[in-house]
Amino acid sequence: MSKIITIHSFRRGVGKTSLISNLAVLLALQGRRVALTDRDLQSPSIHLFFNLSDGEDAHALNDYLWNKCDILSTVQDVTPQIAENPTGKLFVIPASNNLADIMQITDTPPNIDRYVGGLEKLGKELSLDMILVDASAGLNEDTLQAIAVSNVVVLVLHPDQQDFQGTAVAVDTIRKLQVPVIHLVLNDIPDNLNEEDLHVQLEKTYQCGRGIILDHTEELMTLASAQPFVLSYPEHPLTARIKELAEQL
Ligand SMILES: Nc1ncnc2c1ncn2[C@@H]1O[C@H](COP(=O)(O)OP(=O)(O)O)[C@@H](O)[C@H]1O
Ligand SMILES: [Mg+2]
């Protein structure tokens, strides 16, 4: 079975989608066979990083979850976008940005068995090493179910009291769900904070190791989710930090 790595955060807008897209690219460039799944059905956005539009024949994860198609027909191979002939592969399973599809989540939450069945089929048919999942923020039941079937959770937070407190609740919950590994990522750090102090604070507060710290990076903001940062800035210190995390996965 391929490893399921889910990215989550207590609050929205902390950099989950940017980070998971970049991790997926780096892992595929390192030779892994990777699927990147947009499970944030309420704020779908992975399609933007890979320029995928809602075509007539294109299916989204929503179509699979609500029994309209097979999981394999939602898969888009974006490997040619990341390198000419990489040894790895990157497949994207986008979510729909159609209003009716987004509204449907509130009426009929997705079925967890169908979701897990889809991931298993993807893993087997595409011979995947890992499935990266962009989950929605907050601790609603749907997200908790997606987290519970993960082997690893990457938890992203901002240096903000609201995040520090909310993340404590999230770590506690994820531990209760018996997810074996949690990685913490403190993102969007301003220059004036001391990194070593932050590592110590993370370790002491959550007991999930020292965590990864990512600086506030204007170049990333300027890209405005139009493409993965690590492809545009392969030599940037932020890319090196994201690689450190990729190596731990
Ligand atoms: N380290 C960073 N430095 C500067 N801007 C960032 C950083 N990480 C994320 N962003 C920006 O923050 C915004 C939210 O990021 P996004 O990945 O969409 O968050 P989420 O998926 O958690 O809602 C985006 O505009 C993104 O470009
Ligand atoms: Mg997002």
Side-chain angles (χ1 to χ4, degrees), residues 69-137:
C69 70
D70 187 88
I71 190 70
L72 295 177
S73 64
T74 65
V75 177
Q76 305 210 29
D77 184 354
V78 300
T79 316
Q81 291 187 30
I82 64 168
E84 226 163 78
N85 270 314
T87 43
K89 276 273 181 197
L90 179 55
F91 303 99
V92 170
I93 293 93
S96 168
N97 56 6
N98 169 298
L99 177 63
D101 290 334
I102 295 172
M103 298 298 286
Q104 186 166 17
I105 302 146
T106 342
D107 297 340
T108 352
N111 178 288
I112 186 68
D113 293 332
R114 182 146 175 98
Y115 172 63
V116 174
L119 296 191
E120 276 171 5
K121 186 165 180 180
L122 279 180
K124 210 166 124 205
E125 299 290 327
L126 304 175
S127 308
L128 298 174
D129 297 308
M130 39 206 6
I131 302 178
L132 270 52
V133 179
D134 189 16
S136 53

Side-chain angles (χ1 to χ4, degrees), residues 12-18 38 40 43-46 49 134-137:
R12 257 191 199 169
V14 296
K16 279 188 306 301
T17 308
S18 313
D38 197 343
D40 192 351
S43 314
S45 46
I46 280 181
F49 289 83
D134 189 16
S136 53

Side-chain angles (χ1 to χ4, degrees), residues 107-176:
D107 297 340
T108 352
N111 178 288
I112 186 68
D113 293 332
R114 182 146 175 98
Y115 172 63
V116 174
L119 296 191
E120 276 171 5
K121 186 165 180 180
L122 279 180
K124 210 166 124 205
E125 299 290 327
L126 304 175
S127 308
L128 298 174
D129 297 308
M130 39 206 6
I131 302 178
L132 270 52
V133 179
D134 189 16
S136 53
L139 292 171
N140 57 70
E141 193 183 334
D142 176 44
T143 302
L144 291 181
Q145 287 186 335
I147 287 175
V149 300
S150 310
N151 305 100
V152 176
V153 169
V154 176
L155 206 45
V156 186
L157 65 155
H158 269 176
D160 181 296
Q161 289 312 312
Q162 297 187 45
D163 281 35
F164 276 116
Q165 198 169 74
T167 300
V169 180
V171 167
D172 217 33
T173 312
I174 296 166
R175 287 214 170 100
K176 285 194 182 116

